[in-house]
Amino acid sequence: MLKKYSLLLLMVTLLLVAVLTNPSEEEYLEMTGEPIYEKLPEGLEMEVERVNLFLFSAYTPVVAGEYGITHLGIYGSFFQISEGQFDYPGWLEVFN
């Protein structure tokens, strides 16, 4: 019985830490090196598409309608989960 409660407490703690350390868009821009996007040709702007799932977030830069490298933000860190694509990521459509 003690093992059950210990495991449950551990899982609740991990979920709570994930929610509290879910990175923000500002942290994403700092990680990617915002100055790179400031050098875009005139008329082009970069937007960051964020899918927030409370435990983690997915960030994808969009420049001129083309989607770039997607990063997964979890536990205060970012992990690259794509090499970049030129269309909307299919797996993100589920969350829109």
Side-chain angles (χ1 to χ4, degrees):
M1 190 71 146
L2 182 59
K3 286 183 182 182
K4 267 188 187 179
Y5 289 122
S6 296
L7 184 59
L8 182 63
L9 180 63
L10 177 65
M11 294 204 39
V12 168
T13 302
L14 289 174
L15 291 174
L16 183 63
V17 169
V19 169
L20 294 175
T21 60
N22 190 0
S24 67
E25 188 172 327
E26 290 79 23
E27 291 171 313
Y28 171 74
L29 290 173
E30 288 174 15
M31 184 274 308
T32 58
E34 190 175 6
I36 292 171
Y37 298 112
E38 291 176 355
K39 296 177 185 176
L40 290 172
E42 278 202 38
L44 288 180
E45 292 183 16
M46 185 203 64
E47 295 178 34
V48 176
E49 183 169 310
R50 178 183 187 207
V51 177
N52 186 10
L53 300 172
F54 298 108
L55 298 177
F56 59 90
S57 296
Y59 295 91
T60 306
V62 181
V63 177
E66 296 183 0
Y67 292 81
I69 297 172
T70 301
H71 287 86
L72 178 70
I74 187 166
Y75 290 114
S77 299
F78 293 94
F79 303 96
Q80 183 175 333
I81 58 174
S82 79
E83 293 295 323
Q85 57 266 4
F86 297 101
D87 56 350
Y88 191 77
W91 67 273
L92 286 177
E93 288 180 13
V94 175
F95 303 108
N96 283 332

